[in-house]
Amino acid sequence: NLCLGAAPTVSVSVPDANAAEAGLDPGAFRLSRTGSTASSLAVSVVIGGTASPSADYQAISTPITIPAGASSVDVEVTPITV
């Protein structure tokens, strides 16, 4: 018999919402998962808003991986000044 566990639920929170171009102050968002952390979990994300990747902030690669053994990962958002 094959027994599959429940699929993990992923949530997003913002531990540092104050990114700013002035002083190149980075921000961050956190992806958290439920369920087993025995293996890594790749999370595809769509990032939107009025800021443009590679022009206003360093582009963020997707999928973002929550590593095995971890229940969350912080993703830094690094501003770019022109």
Side-chain angles (χ1 to χ4, degrees), residues 10-77:
V10 176
S11 61
V12 179
S13 61
V14 185
D16 182 359
N18 296 316
E21 289 177 349
L24 296 177
D25 178 26
F29 63 92
R30 177 174 293 143
L31 296 176
S32 300
R33 66 184 289 180
T34 62
S36 173
T37 60
S39 60
S40 62
L41 178 66
V43 181
S44 295
V45 297
V46 175
I47 300 171
T50 58
S52 299
S54 299
D56 296 312
Y57 61 92
Q58 290 179 2
I60 297 168
S61 298
T62 186
I64 296 167
T65 300
I66 302 174
S71 60
S72 66
V73 65
D74 287 351
V75 180
E76 187 171 283
V77 180

